[in-house]
């Protein structure tokens, strides 16, 4: 029987400013199995980073609010814990790799000291010599010579800084790793090296991971499951095989695949998704994707679709809510 390490149920998150109320997450439901990697995919502004920050309980103070929902890590509801209890979990049970390695490290402390700080906070019983040995081990593990631990962040390249950040995130062998577009600031060659290293370390340490990315190629390479996010909702979810090999998909997923350049064909222009994501301060009443969908029905503009499931594959779309469910999709929405 498969066991879920993380379960998110009906999560709603709002950002409140002086001018507006931004509805960032609107009923998110997610599951991550033990030792597996979930790819969280969607356009900028879909709510991917907000989902990760909600799990970490690091939403901006007095601006970001979890309105309702539940987040369970190994059966424990994180939203019921005090801030002190969450501090004990962060870096220990849950770690996060933030988007930009250039700004994730403190410029006035050596990289060795910053890795050691994580170990000291969560393992007060460790003596200095043991911590130093562990720092050396972590740096070697991510492919950086241990004798460079006395150097400062500005002495490292972007790829090496990202490796240091990964070492910090994995220092205490967390159960869950949240990687928020960990290769965005890196060139293509270094991206491949970092992703290969992350996947190898995840398997070695038996860590579950949520990988936030725009890159479907990366998802195909290292993820076990995929969740497609749009306007604060999960509109399609399934295994990698469901998303990449199944013939039936949400129209937004079809559009995402359609925007990927085909290396076998010569074309003058790419195929972007027409239109813009709806304003999160004023969301439409029906399907969030209706205004951009080439298969929009009248019901799509007034009623939010329900989730239709077929084994591990789930789609939230009116095109699949007929008697035949996932078998009733229009041919035009197939890849």
């Amino acid at each position: 029987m498969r066991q879920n390490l993380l379960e998110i149920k009906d999560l709603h998150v709002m950002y409140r400013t002086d001018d507006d109320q931004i509805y960032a997450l609107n009923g998110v439901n997610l599951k991550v199995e033990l030792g597996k990697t979930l790819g969280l995919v969607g356009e900028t502004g879909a709510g991917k980073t907000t989902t990760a920050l909600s799990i970490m309980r690091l939403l901006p103070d007095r601006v970001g609010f979890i309105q309702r929902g539940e987040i369970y890590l190994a059966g424990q509801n994180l939203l019921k814990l005090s801030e002190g209890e969450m501090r004990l979990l962060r870096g220990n049970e849950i770690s996060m790799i933030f988007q930009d390695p250039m700004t994730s490290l403190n410029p006035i402390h050596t990289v060795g000291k910053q890795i050691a700080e994580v170990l000291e906070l969560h393992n007060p019983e460790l003596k200095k010599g043991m911590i130093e040995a562990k720092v050396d081990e972590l740096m070697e593990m991510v492919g950086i010579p241990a004798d460079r631990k006395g150097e400062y962040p500005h002495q490292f390249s972007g790829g090496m800084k990202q490796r240091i950040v990964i070492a910090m995130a994995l220092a205490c062998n967390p159960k869950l790793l949240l990687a928020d577009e960990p290769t965005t600031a890196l060139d293509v060659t270094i991206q491949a090296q970092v992703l290969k290293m992350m996947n190898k370390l995840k398997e070695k340490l038996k860590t579950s991971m949520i990988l936030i990315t725009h890159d479907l190629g990366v998802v195909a390479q290292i993820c076990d499951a995929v969740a497609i996010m749009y306007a604060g909702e999960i509109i399609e979810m399934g295994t990698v095989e469901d998303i990449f090999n199944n013939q039936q998909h949400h129209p937004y997923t079809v559009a995402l695949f359609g925007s990927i350049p085909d290396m076998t064909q010569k074309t003058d222009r790419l195929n972007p998704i027409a239109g813009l994501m709806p304003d999160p301060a004023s969301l439409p009443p029906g399907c969030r994707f209706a205004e951009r969908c080439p298969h929009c029905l009248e019901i799509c503009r007034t009623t939010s679709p329900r989730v239709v499931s077929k084994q591990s594959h789930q789609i939230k779309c009116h095109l699949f809510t007929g008697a035949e469910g996932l078998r009733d999709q229009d041919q035009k929405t197939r890849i």
Side-chain angles (χ1 to χ4, degrees):
M1 182 179 177
R2 294 178 178 176
Q3 187 176 355
N4 296 318
L5 174 67
L6 177 75
E7 288 191 47
I8 300 177
K9 300 180 180 180
D10 194 32
L11 185 64
H12 291 251
V13 173
M14 178 183 70
Y15 292 111
R16 185 179 295 134
T17 67
D18 291 338
D19 300 320
D20 282 311
Q21 292 183 348
I22 310 299
Y23 299 96
L25 298 184
N26 306 288
V28 169
N29 293 280
L30 278 180
K31 293 181 181 180
V32 181
E33 293 179 20
L34 279 169
K36 301 295 185 180
T37 298
L38 172 73
L40 193 56
V41 181
E43 294 173 273
T44 298
K48 305 183 301 296
T49 297
T50 296
T51 301
L53 292 177
S54 299
I55 296 169
M56 294 289 287
R57 293 264 306 273
L58 287 176
L59 292 170
D61 193 27
R62 295 186 294 275
V63 175
F65 302 91
I66 296 177
Q67 294 177 292
R68 68 176 186 270
E70 298 170 308
I71 303 175
Y72 290 95
L73 181 72
Q76 184 177 34
N77 191 348
L78 301 183
L79 302 186
K80 299 291 186 182
L81 300 182
S82 67
E83 179 56 30
E85 290 170 323
M86 278 303 302
R87 275 198 296 268
L88 294 176
L89 288 182
R90 294 189 198 110
N92 192 25
E93 301 286 322
I94 321 169
S95 285
M96 186 166 177
I97 301 171
F98 294 92
Q99 280 192 26
D100 188 359
M102 311 301 177
T103 59
S104 296
L105 296 169
N106 191 326
I108 65 172
H109 292 301
T110 64
V111 296
K113 182 176 180 180
Q114 294 183 62
I115 297 173
E117 184 180 15
V118 178
L119 295 165
E120 291 166 357
L121 285 172
H122 295 289
N123 302 276
E125 74 282 358
L126 290 181
K127 295 182 179 179
K128 186 175 180 180
M130 297 174 69
I131 289 176
E132 289 297 319
K134 183 66 175 176
V135 170
D136 293 349
E137 178 188 339
L138 287 164
M139 291 192 67
E140 294 287 350
M141 185 175 71
V142 297
I144 298 178
D147 58 13
R148 296 195 65 183
K149 66 183 178 183
E151 298 181 15
Y152 292 85
H154 73 271
Q155 295 174 277
F156 293 85
S157 66
M160 285 185 142
K161 286 178 186 176
Q162 190 62 289
R163 289 169 183 262
I164 295 296
V165 171
I166 292 170
M168 292 171 64
L170 296 174
C172 295
N173 293 352
K175 294 177 181 177
L176 178 64
L177 179 65
L178 308 175
D180 189 0
E181 300 190 35
T183 59
T184 298
L186 309 178
D187 63 63
V188 176
T189 304
I190 302 302
Q191 278 186 29
Q193 293 175 3
V194 169
L195 288 169
K196 183 178 180 180
M197 180 197 69
M198 285 178 61
N199 203 33
K200 183 177 179 181
L201 294 176
K202 181 188 77 73
E203 293 175 357
K204 178 182 177 181
L205 301 174
K206 308 298 182 186
T207 301
S208 299
M209 180 165 70
I210 294 180
L211 176 65
I212 296 171
T213 181
H214 292 93
D215 194 331
L216 287 166
V218 170
V219 170
Q221 181 182 352
I222 69 172
C223 293
D224 302 293
V226 187
I228 309 295
M229 200 166 199
Y230 186 81
E233 298 180 340
I234 303 297
I235 51 93
E236 184 168 359
M237 184 163 59
T239 64
V240 167
E241 290 76 16
D242 290 331
I243 303 302
F244 285 84
N245 297 333
N246 202 310
Q247 292 298 302
Q248 299 176 311
H249 295 291
H250 191 285
Y252 178 63
T253 307
V254 175
L256 285 178
F257 277 102
S259 65
I260 300 173
D262 187 343
M263 302 304 291
T264 65
Q265 296 182 2
K266 184 177 180 180
T267 182
D268 294 328
R269 296 182 64 85
L270 297 177
N271 297 309
I273 304 173
L276 297 172
M277 196 176 296
D279 181 358
S282 181
L283 292 169
C287 174
R288 312 294 193 225
F289 189 61
E291 291 300 321
R292 307 172 73 183
C293 182
H295 311 284
C296 181
L297 307 171
E298 188 59 36
I299 191 175
C300 299
R301 301 183 186 279
T302 59
T303 306
S304 180
R306 63 181 176 86
V307 176
V308 180
S309 301
K310 184 178 181 182
Q311 298 176 345
S312 59
H313 195 191
Q314 301 177 3
I315 301 178
K316 187 175 183 180
C317 179
H318 285 298
L319 292 175
F320 302 93
T321 55
E324 295 300 310
L326 288 183
R327 291 179 294 171
D328 200 29
Q329 185 184 21
D330 189 296
Q331 288 283 346
K332 294 179 182 179
T333 63
R334 299 186 179 185
I335 295 177

